[in-house]
């Protein structure tokens, strides 16, 4: 049926200066973990142009069917979000970073007190309405802890996208002015095939691609200090980026502490220099800081 009034007009998310989507073509590549850690790396980044202020960063979980941000942020058992007098959702805050997720709005299981086991069994139209509410009905001025609607808003909102090229990225691309996208992959060919689809999707939606990020690029043995490409060499990933004309932001090593910190709700980017050299931890942190610096330069 012909649409009345033409296609929907893209608009900005209220009280958000820049929007960065973190996506992956295939699930299971560590995209949510990267999104949360990148948000904290951006929040800790110091811009030489404004050395006295750090970016105000928030994270929005748009994975309606499999929200991971509540667990990654240590908020799986948190209370439901409050509402402002105008009816907007107030973000939850942990580790100093405001966040919002569908997982905060689902019923809690009586046994665990968490919504992690509550399934979302919805058709596409309900998913689109939920995504629109998460995009436009959250008051990001409230994430500073100063009360509802009293903060300055965000410099960057990091979007944790669901895998694939379905309803959610299409809704986002049609409704929101997105300033950049980071596509996360692992070295396997089966993951890289979906990276190419993800690049093509963002290009069709006129979303600028900030770069590609290789996760679990190699494992550094703690006894021999030799990098081992457990999931294949990175050359195929670099070739995909080169053919697409998209920069490679970095290659993160496989570090056991990243997974352990995520399960505890403590992002690895916050762990400082504890065991800095063990199993590639220093390389992981240095790479994430460099990625955050590149992303900030591109967005700013």
């Amino acid at each position: 049926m012909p649409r009345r009034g033409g296609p929907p007009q893209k608009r900005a998310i209220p009280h958000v200066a820049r929007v960065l989507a973190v996506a992956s073509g295939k699930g299971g590549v560590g995209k949510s973990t990267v999104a949360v850690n990148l948000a904290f790396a951006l929040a800790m980044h110091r811009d030489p142009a404004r050395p006295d202020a750090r970016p105000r960063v928030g994270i929005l979980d748009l994975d309606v069917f499999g929200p991971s941000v509540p667990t990654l942020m240590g908020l799986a058992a948190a209370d439901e979000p409050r509402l402002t007098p105008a009816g907007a959702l107030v973000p939850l805050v942990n580790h100093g970073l405001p966040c919002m997720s569908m997982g905060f709005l689902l019923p809690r299981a009586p046994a665990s007190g968490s919504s992690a086991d509550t399934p979302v069994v919805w058709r596409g139209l309900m998913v689109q309405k939920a995504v629109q509410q998460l995009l436009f009905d959250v008051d990001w001025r409230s994430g500073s802890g100063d009360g509802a609607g009293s903060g300055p808003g965000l410099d960057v909102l990091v979007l944790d996208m669901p895998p694939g090229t379905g309803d959610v990225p299409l809704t986002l691309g049609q409704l929101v002015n997105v300033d950049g996208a980071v596509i996360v992959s692992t070295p396997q060919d089966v993951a890289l095939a979906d990276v190419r689809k993800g690049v093509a999707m963002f290009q069709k939606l006129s979303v600028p691609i900030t770069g590609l990020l290789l996760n679990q690029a190699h494992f550094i043995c703690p006894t021999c200090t030799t990098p081992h490409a457990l999931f294949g060499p990175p050359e195929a990933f670099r070739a995909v980026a080169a053919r697409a004309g998209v920069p490679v932001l970095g290659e993160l090593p496989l570090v056991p502490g990243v997974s352990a910190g995520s399960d505890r709700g403590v992002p690895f980017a916050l762990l400082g220099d504890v065991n800095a050299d063990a199993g590639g931890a220093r390389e992981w942190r240095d790479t994430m800081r460099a990625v955050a610096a590149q992303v900030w330069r591109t967005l700013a």
Side-chain angles (χ1 to χ4, degrees), residues 180-204:
V182 173
I183 301 178
V184 182
S185 180
T186 49
Q188 302 98 317
D189 289 341
V190 68
L192 295 177
D194 289 334
V195 167
R196 293 190 287 269
K197 297 176 184 177
V199 170
M201 175 194 68
F202 282 120
Q203 290 173 340
K204 285 187 176 183

Side-chain angles (χ1 to χ4, degrees), residues 161-273:
M161 302 292 294
T165 57
D167 285 335
V168 175
L170 180 60
T171 300
L172 175 71
Q174 289 179 333
L175 298 182
V176 177
N177 293 317
V178 182
D179 300 282
V182 173
I183 301 178
V184 182
S185 180
T186 49
Q188 302 98 317
D189 289 341
V190 68
L192 295 177
D194 289 334
V195 167
R196 293 190 287 269
K197 297 176 184 177
V199 170
M201 175 194 68
F202 282 120
Q203 290 173 340
K204 285 187 176 183
L205 296 175
S206 300
V207 173
I209 301 175
T210 307
L212 306 186
L213 179 61
L214 183 62
N215 194 29
Q216 303 174 3
H218 54 265
F219 174 72
I220 299 179
C221 178
T223 57
C224 64
T225 66
T226 300
H228 301 276
L230 299 181
F231 303 116
E235 283 74 20
F237 170 81
R238 297 168 187 168
V240 168
R243 284 196 295 269
V246 177
V248 173
L249 296 174
E251 299 179 5
L252 292 168
L254 176 62
V255 178
V258 175
S259 177
S262 298
D263 291 340
R264 298 197 312 270
V266 182
F268 197 68
L270 296 180
L271 294 181
D273 292 328

Side-chain angles (χ1 to χ4, degrees), residues 53-64:
R54 293 185 179 181
R56 297 182 299 272
V57 182
I59 184 163
L60 174 59
D61 186 356
L62 287 184
D63 194 342
V64 174

